[in-house]
């Protein structure tokens, strides 16, 4: 997919589920123009907007 066509990420293996549970996660949204990447991110941001919705999660 464009600039990511030859990109490879090596992550170390998980040593234990308990130790790994506190780590952050990274998600990458890729796709062609107009497929809804920004719409998805705006929708997720609205879900986490406490000022607008209060505590939902």
């Amino acid at each position: 997919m464009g600039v990511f066509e030859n990109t490879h990420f090596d992550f170390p293996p998980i040593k234990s589920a308990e130790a790994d549970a506190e780590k952050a996660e990274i998600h990458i949204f890729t796709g062609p123009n107009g497929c809804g990447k920004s719409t998805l991110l705006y929708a997720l941001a609205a879900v986490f907007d406490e000022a607008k919705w209060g505590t939902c999660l």
Side-chain angles (χ1 to χ4, degrees):
M1 290 198 144
V3 297
F4 297 109
E5 188 171 20
N6 296 313
T7 303
H8 180 75
F9 297 100
D10 285 323
F11 294 99
I14 297 172
K15 294 178 182 168
S16 74
E18 294 81 21
D20 199 58
E22 298 295 319
K23 293 183 180 178
E25 294 183 16
I26 298 172
H27 300 275
I28 300 172
F29 297 104
T30 62
N33 292 346
C35 73
K37 298 179 299 288
S38 296
T39 302
L40 175 62
L41 293 174
Y42 281 118
L44 286 171
V47 169
F48 291 101
D49 186 3
E50 287 185 30
K52 185 175 183 179
W53 301 104
T55 305
C56 294
L57 305 174

